[in-house]
Amino acid sequence: MSTKGARNYRPEIHFTPKTGWINDPNGLVYVDGVYHLFAQYFPEPHWGPMHWYHAQSRDLIHWEHLPVALAPDELGLIFSGSAVYDARNTSGFGSAEKPPIVAMYTSHSEHEQQSIAWSTDGVNFNKYEGNPVIPNTELRDFRDPKVFANPIRGGWSVVLSVGDRAMFYASEDLKNWTKTGEFGPDGNRSEGVWECADLFPLELGGGEKWILLVSMGPNKPNHGARTQYFIGNFDGDKFVCDTPFDRAEFIDGGLDNYAAVTYNNAPDRTLIGWAANWVYANDLPTGNFCCQMTLARKLSLMHTPLGGIRLAQQPVLPDFNPTERIDGELFKLTVSGEGAATVRLTNGGEWFDFGVNNENELFIDRSHAGEKDFNADFADDWYSKISAPRLFDGHWTLELIFDRSVTELYCDGGTRVMTNLVYPTKPYDRAEVLSGNAKIEISK
Ligand code: FRU
């Protein structure tokens, strides 16, 4: 249960529910200039029987809160899923003039099955009377459908997270589904189960590559719950990986980005993650709400000298303007340097350190950043200090977006990103270079 910390920790530009608990982003779909964001939701500030929260935005920064879209029913709790814009009304739920949004989610009870719901006004959702559309009476973990328009075979595809693997299904009408393939268990670095898979193409040198995101349930070696990605190809039926499995990468080198998935139908491939970690999320000191999303991030692929082809992320930000000093709780630090350097953000007594170490790794240290005793794991060094190798040599530029209790750190064009929660009991008001050769610019 979320506790009440020393002060208001609600971030400004990171999405939070008005009250209650959220986890995974669900149903990310862009329709007529509007970005819909649904989320796993319980009305009290802790995990409980899951609903879908709903909000919408035109800029991915300012959100309008809408009524809860889906509530538990006789098929079970409403676990994670996705949504598509059915512009040609293949499902028959709408009409040519009023095409539906169709959401696909997991009905969670003794067995997990996939169900759908539709809306023609973007606010009120009706569950399909033929649910479940992908029944299951055998598998224990069979969830988190990511449905998408299949550009190769036409129609729709869905990727499901099934224990230690991903499964692919196809459909013409979103109601009748046939299995087309599997990926895994090779590449499963999880002691937990795979969750919230996503599959999408990104442009690379005139061609394209397909990215499979897989969130890997909480396990200690991975520093809790984190999202991994594979690069490969999709033949319309199944994904084939071309990165070696021992080199699989997390999309975020920090501790607080899980269940990250991308928008359907949007002009750019845009990702949002849950900015928390299952290891301690239920205890965050935020009072009547619990948990937040990451900033939305535009994705691309980049050739890196030390890591080959890698995912790069650019945050969607409001305008920031240069300022002399930190005088608020939403600001950006741009730090450029060479070699090892440590930058400290501090309020006098507490500090959050970040920078590049002697091994050419990006690092953060939140072990003295503020409140931490609300959860023993959050207070533990294993979940307070983390590093990841840079994919470039030489000169670097870091961007730190600070939003009251969430930090997002971008390095080398977003080829390394670290998202981490911090709870300073007084706002940080100073940034300084603690060691090394670096220059800080502040903007707000
Ligand atoms: C991932 C997850 C999903 C599941 C949901 C339940 O964080 O465990 O696999 O659908 O959360 O809230």
Side-chain angles (χ1 to χ4, degrees):
M1 173 76 130
S2 163
T3 50
K4 183 78 194 90
R7 62 192 187 88
N8 177 12
Y9 287 123
R10 190 188 285 274
E12 248 180 75
I13 59 169
H14 287 76
F15 179 81
T16 54
K18 278 191 167 168
T19 57
W21 160 276
I22 54 167
N23 56 287
D24 317 355
N26 294 156
L28 303 183
V29 64
Y30 177 82
V31 182
D32 292 338
V34 173
Y35 291 91
H36 290 267
L37 166 64
F38 302 81
Q40 288 285 280
Y41 171 68
F42 186 63
E44 291 168 28
H46 56 86
W47 195 89
M50 285 286 109
H51 302 56
W52 273 27
Y53 198 85
H54 189 193
Q56 64 182 22
S57 173
R58 290 189 169 268
D59 61 6
L60 293 164
I61 295 164
H62 303 91
W63 296 94
E64 179 192 348
H65 296 256
L66 296 170
V68 166
L70 297 168
D73 57 31
E74 65 288 350
L75 287 177
L77 312 182
I78 314 296
F79 268 23
S80 283
S82 52
V84 287
Y85 180 51
D86 182 15
R88 290 185 299 114
N89 193 31
T90 59
S91 61
F93 289 137
S95 60
E97 300 74 45
K98 279 199 161 193
I101 293 176
V102 180
M104 191 164 186
Y105 58 91
T106 298
S107 293
H108 172 93
S109 58
E110 194 188 337
H111 289 103
E112 296 182 326
Q113 318 192 78
Q114 317 319 317
S115 295
I116 55 177
W118 55 273
S119 171
T120 49
D121 63 7
V123 178
N124 298 292
F125 281 78
N126 308 283
K127 288 173 181 150
Y128 173 48
E129 69 278 4
N131 282 337
V133 292
I134 306 183
N136 165 41
T137 51
E138 282 158 30
L139 299 161
R140 184 165 178 274
D141 296 292
F142 187 69
R143 60 176 174 270
D144 306 342
K146 172 62 191 256
V147 55
F148 56 97
N150 185 323
I152 297 157
R153 61 182 279 156
W156 307 100
S157 275
V158 72
V159 52
L160 287 172
S161 300
V162 189
D164 60 2
R165 65 196 66 202
M167 289 186 186
F168 307 96
Y169 287 71
S171 172
E172 294 302 323
D173 60 2
L174 296 161
K175 296 171 179 161
N176 297 287
W177 292 91
T178 320
K179 188 172 167 188
T180 59
E182 287 190 14
F183 172 75
D186 285 347
N188 186 356
R189 296 203 303 176
S190 176
E191 292 166 12
V193 294
W194 283 14
E195 301 184 312
C196 300
D198 190 2
L199 181 66
F200 53 85
L202 286 176
E203 192 272 329
L204 182 71
E208 67 180 19
K209 282 280 164 198
W210 284 75
I211 312 301
L212 179 70
L213 301 182
V214 179
S215 285
M216 307 212 152
N219 67 86
K220 190 134 193 199
N222 285 350
H223 297 264
R226 296 166 81 208
T227 300
Q228 187 173 340
Y229 72 94
F230 301 92
I231 302 177
N233 292 302
F234 180 55
D235 63 9
D237 292 336
K238 64 182 183 312
F239 172 82
V240 178
C241 184
D242 50 38
T243 37
F245 293 122
D246 60 358
R247 226 201 51 195
E249 281 284 311
F250 293 113
I251 59 160
D252 195 305
L255 293 151
D256 296 300
N257 186 349
Y258 191 64
V261 286
T262 64
Y263 269 92
N264 274 323
N265 201 41
D268 299 308
R269 186 54 60 175
T270 307
L271 176 99
I272 295 183
W274 176 49
N277 195 317
W278 276 118
V279 174
Y280 44 70
N282 264 284
D283 296 334
L284 300 180
T286 45
N288 68 355
F289 81 94
C290 195
C291 295
Q292 51 284 313
M293 297 302 177
T294 67
L295 295 172
R297 301 164 181 188
K298 310 270 182 210
L299 302 184
S300 59
L301 287 174
M302 212 189 260
H303 284 279
T304 66
L306 303 181
I309 299 162
R310 296 295 178 100
L311 204 57
Q313 305 175 52
Q314 295 301 326
V316 177
L317 294 173
D319 290 336
F320 281 89
N321 298 305
T323 176
E324 287 301 302
R325 52 187 193 86
I326 294 169
D327 63 354
E329 294 194 77
L330 172 62
F331 55 86
K332 186 170 93 176
L333 304 180
T334 307
V335 187
S336 46
E338 188 108 29
T342 299
V343 177
R344 174 162 290 186
L345 197 52
T346 176
N347 57 17
E350 296 160 342
W351 45 263
F352 173 71
D353 282 357
F354 64 96
V356 173
N357 66 19
N358 281 320
E359 281 80 51
N360 197 32
E361 293 172 332
L362 182 69
F363 75 90
I364 65 100
D365 177 352
R366 67 175 178 193
S367 60
H368 294 77
E371 290 190 58
K372 60 176 184 176
D373 292 332
F374 52 83
N375 177 286
D377 284 319
F378 191 92
D380 190 302
D381 266 4
W382 183 251
Y383 295 105
S384 304
K385 302 179 187 193
I386 199 160
S387 61
R390 285 180 63 211
L391 304 172
F392 289 78
D393 268 328
H395 179 88
W396 42 259
T397 303
L398 312 181
E399 284 200 318
L400 181 85
I401 293 108
F402 186 88
D403 187 10
R404 198 174 289 223
S405 57
V406 192
T407 64
E408 294 202 13
L409 180 61
Y410 293 81
C411 174
D412 297 323
T415 50
R416 275 287 177 229
V417 182
M418 289 193 171
T419 306
N420 293 283
L421 299 173
V422 288
Y423 296 99
T425 56
K426 288 189 304 183
Y428 296 138
D429 56 4
R430 250 186 357 259
E432 61 205 29
V433 178
L434 212 60
S435 66
N437 173 14
K439 182 166 132 289
I440 305 174
E441 285 163 41
I442 306 168
S443 46
K444 63 175 279 189

